[in-house]
């Protein structure tokens, strides 16, 4: 069964974002044990992770439109 490349792309990015958020929340949990501040740190971490991914995807699309598709044989 052939899976569409766009579906694979979305699943990989969802996995990466999930790993970022879980790791960030784990770090906030460890820090929060000592300071008692959970919510004050969790919201900026989640927004920063998601905005970072969105900015990366925006520049990636922009660069692809600007340069076009570069064939693989050029670099070999």
């Amino acid at each position: 069964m052939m899976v569409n490349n766009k579906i694979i792309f979305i699943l990989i990015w969802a996995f990466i974002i999930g790993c970022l958020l879980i790791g960030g929340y784990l770090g906030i949990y460890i820090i929060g044990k000592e300071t008692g501040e959970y919510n004050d740190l969790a919201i900026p971490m989640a927004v920063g992770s998601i905005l970072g991914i969105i900015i990366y995807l925006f520049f990636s699309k922009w660069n692809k439109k600007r340069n076009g598709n570069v064939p693989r044989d050029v670099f070999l």
Side-chain angles (χ1 to χ4, degrees):
M1 184 168 103
M2 195 94 174
V3 179
N4 192 0
N5 285 341
K6 192 164 192 156
I7 294 172
I8 293 173
F9 179 78
I10 291 170
L11 288 174
I12 289 173
W13 275 106
F15 178 75
I16 291 171
I17 291 172
C19 289
L20 279 170
L21 291 175
I22 290 171
Y25 284 128
L26 182 62
I28 289 172
Y29 175 74
I30 292 170
I31 292 171
K33 274 186 171 181
E34 296 176 10
T35 62
E37 297 178 10
Y38 290 103
N39 291 334
D40 294 338
L41 299 173
I43 294 170
M45 186 276 313
V47 171
S49 297
I50 293 172
L51 282 178
I53 296 295
I54 290 172
I55 290 170
Y56 169 76
L57 289 175
F58 171 74
F59 279 118
S60 170
K61 279 267 196 214
W62 177 67
N63 197 20
K64 188 174 182 182
K65 280 186 176 183
R66 193 179 64 150
N67 293 335
N69 287 336
V70 178
R72 289 181 176 239
D73 296 339
V74 172
F75 296 112
L76 294 177

